Amino acid sequence: MKGNSFVYYLDQYNVLSPNHSKIYDEYTIDKNNENSYSFTIETKIEKTLINLFETNPQSIILTGNAGDGKTRLCRIVHDYFNRDSLENWPEDGIVEFPFSNGKIRIVKDLSELKEEVIEKELAHLQQIITSGNEEKVFYLIAANEGKLTKFLSQYENLNKLQYEVTSRFKSHDNNSDQFSIFNLLDVTSSVYVEKVLSEWNKSENWDACQACPKQERCIIHMNHERTSQNHIQDKIVEQYKLLDYLDTHITMREMLIHISYMLTGGYKCDDVLNANYKEIEKQTKKPYYQNFYGHELDENAFSEMKALKIFKALDPGVYSHSSIDDFIINGDINGDVESEKAHNVLIGDSLDLQLGYFKKKLTLYRDYDVDKDHSIVNDWIPKLRRKYFYETVSEDSVNANQLLPFEYVDEYVNLFGNPKAQAQLKKDMINGLNRIFSGRLTEINNKHLFATNKNLMIYEQFRSKDVDIEEEVGRLDLDRKPSRFKLSVRDEVSLNMNLAVFEYLMRASGGGTHNVLQQEAEILIDTFKNELIRISEPEEYELNILRYDNKTGLFIDDEISLL
């Protein structure tokens, strides 16, 4: 039995596999191999680049992290405007060719060039965009933002280019008809996940598994079947959206490595076909919802996979919820018919539950208190919280998002495209800011934002209508979906608000433990507070303060006349 060639393709993304180096090749298609697999994801940015060169030719710099696809985009542009595909890059990494509007000069990776070559190419670019472009040469340069900025700062003769580059890094709105920068770090990571899940789970990729005698004992095939289900795919995409909401970027390459590991657990068909009893038991510990967070993974491999380090902080198995934990332990014996049905669907005799072993272990735990190694509490409950998070679909069940470290994620998501929800929650955000600024429990329904600090002096009170919630606008030039907001006061001062900041404000407003998010949000909010105080205009003969009110046990605003 040869196994499934598609599974061996996925093995290229296994960071510990000898085949892993293949994913760094520009093309992973072997024309002489009938089982070779071709996989591409269409992106907005590639259409944008081609359209610009065709209709509004200009010089372009692409920036981003290694793995964001800068080199791939350079190749796409080359192949679009040339009859022959680019088989290999020249040694110097620079390609120039004619097209209908002049010449395109591609620099595959600026950081790979010698310093004198970098200076020469950037000086040429500067001359083109500042002094006209009579020679009709248009650059496409792939570069690292930090290295590019540092290099420009070291050469006085490149000051003009440094100014143009800096302004575009501040905002993509500063792109012009002569010169644009596209930062691939602006791409929201979740955009491509659904495409990858749909593509990799296509039935034709798994047809070879139908004749496999070990299909029912194959954790790889089980992961494929589960992650083909729409509601589970939606949950996976939601986890990636959380990264977008937290301003955390994962490169295309990191995402492919992560999704591949989620499906295979690092195994190949040979591992399944040749597994003995002990090895099968080990493989059952690699369901997709465990792999997603890197559980049961070798430390060396974990350290190589950036996505796992990021998602570990969002692991729904870590956070206890009494109703969900009670359902996992007692859901089949609580007397509620619907609950018992849902429990039997979730916790059955499937491969990820070791073919019924857990159910027997649970019975012994409940009836005889047999759990000498504490594995029910320490191992199985966290694992089954993750399973519950992804696989529970019943409307009567407890909302699985309550297993996330964010209490207000549903409210945050509901804000997008919803002015009514934004208006309703604005008073809670204002209340949260007042409490954080003052370090006191201020009254709840106050409609004013206080420019105050821990000395309790109010420098100015801003009315609710002076505070606006501005939703980020999506982009048409690359794959970025709105993922954050801006709280602005009188169009003078603003606070960038992602999920972490929103959660911090909402917990402060509700009197909850907002301090767990302090590190992520405090610097931004402190700066916002200081800016509010700076633009404040205190009354000349009146002192506004926050004072403690004995009746309510809260701090309320009051005034002291200085006349």
Side-chain angles (χ1 to χ4, degrees), residues 25 80 87 99 107 165 180 224 284 289 291 327 381 386 428 436 453 556 560:
D25 296 341
Y80 182 86
E87 293 295 333
F99 77 125
V107 180
V165 167
S180 294
H224 150 63
T284 64
Y289 52 82
N291 299 340
F327 171 78
I381 296 299
R386 297 177 195 107
D428 293 318
I436 294 166
N453 53 29
I556 61 173
I560 300 172

Side-chain angles (χ1 to χ4, degrees), residues 441-481:
L441 282 175
T442 54
E443 60 181 331
I444 296 173
N445 293 317
N446 199 304
K447 294 182 179 180
H448 290 85
L449 173 63
F450 301 137
T452 187
N453 53 29
K454 291 181 173 57
N455 66 15
L456 303 186
M457 175 180 169
I458 300 173
Y459 296 87
E460 187 166 353
Q461 298 184 35
F462 298 94
R463 293 173 298 176
S464 178
K465 70 176 186 178
D466 293 328
V467 181
D468 292 316
I469 299 175
E470 300 172 15
E471 182 178 329
E472 178 188 6
V473 178
R475 290 179 61 173
L476 299 176
D477 53 355
L478 51 72
D479 291 294
R480 180 173 183 85
K481 292 185 177 179

